[in-house]
Amino acid sequence: MATTTNYSWATPDDTANVKDGASAIRSLGTAVDTTMATMVPKTLVDAKGDLIAATAADTVARLAVGTNGQVLTADSTAATGLAYTTISAGGMTLLGSGTLANATVDITGISSQYNQILINIGNAVANTTTYIRFRINDITTNSSYSTWGNYTGSPTFQNNPGEAWYFGGAYTISPSSDNRQSCSLLLTNPNATNANKLGWFSGYAGDTNIFSVTSLVQTTAYNTAITKFSIMTGSGSFTGGSYSVWGIK
């Protein structure tokens, strides 16, 4: 007996007897019905953008389209294993911000979900002549920085091990409104557990002899991810200025 090309449904041969026609048509109808039962009906989808997704073996369901700008992502908690999600603009999350006050400002509970951490300081001023220090995870040893830039008319390079990174020395802040500091520090590998924490630093001090400094900073032998960041004075207390700390994915 002949069969169809795609689904191998049995059909009468050209030489078959007419008397067998009813039986052949009945067999063909049964085969078609069995095959159609395995098909996904078009009524499963209801609107433009609908998708058909599996919820289990040999089981499908409708996944409605998301809103404008959303993207389709894998989600094991969803029935179909898929979900539309909204991407955070810029991938930056504000972890802490405010006015600089007291001798130390702490930002705690920093998550490992961030690939970089950005710290911004604006117009810092203190009640005594001092400098800005940065510390991570309350660790007080093996911090260093290398500095290059221009101040007092000539470029410099230096390496200073100590208890914290600092923007200080020649770059002091003081009670004078003319001697404020603004700077940014970008930590590039905050989650490393077997490498130095590296960062790029750039700052400006409100002094006629100091216009910019750029530094590569590092901490030695830190085997834990950054969970806490401290902004500190070398002595005295902050009396003004602002800070913001951002997590970047």
Side-chain angles (χ1 to χ4, degrees), residues 151-216:
Y151 66 94
T152 63
S154 61
T156 67
F157 181 87
Q158 53 190 323
N159 190 317
N160 294 290
E163 66 173 13
W165 299 325
Y166 70 92
F167 185 38
Y171 331 106
T172 56
I173 55 176
S174 71
S176 170
S177 60
D178 294 329
N179 204 21
R180 296 170 178 259
Q181 288 184 0
S182 297
C183 55
S184 294
L185 174 62
L186 177 65
L187 301 176
T188 58
N189 61 339
N191 299 315
T193 58
N194 58 356
N196 295 343
K197 304 299 186 298
L198 300 177
W200 289 98
F201 178 92
S202 181
Y204 175 86
D207 186 294
T208 57
N209 294 322
I210 306 169
F211 61 88
S212 68
V213 174
T214 303
S215 302
L216 170 66

Side-chain angles (χ1 to χ4, degrees), residues 5-20:
T5 301
N6 293 323
Y7 296 107
S8 298
W9 294 330
T11 59
D13 293 325
D14 293 341
T15 58
N17 295 324
V18 173
K19 66 182 181 65
D20 297 324

Side-chain angles (χ1 to χ4, degrees), residues 94-115:
L94 183 64
L95 306 180
S97 65
T99 300
L100 291 170
N102 305 315
T104 303
V105 175
D106 292 327
I107 296 87
T108 60
I110 298 176
S111 169
S112 61
Q113 66 181 299
Y114 304 112
N115 297 318

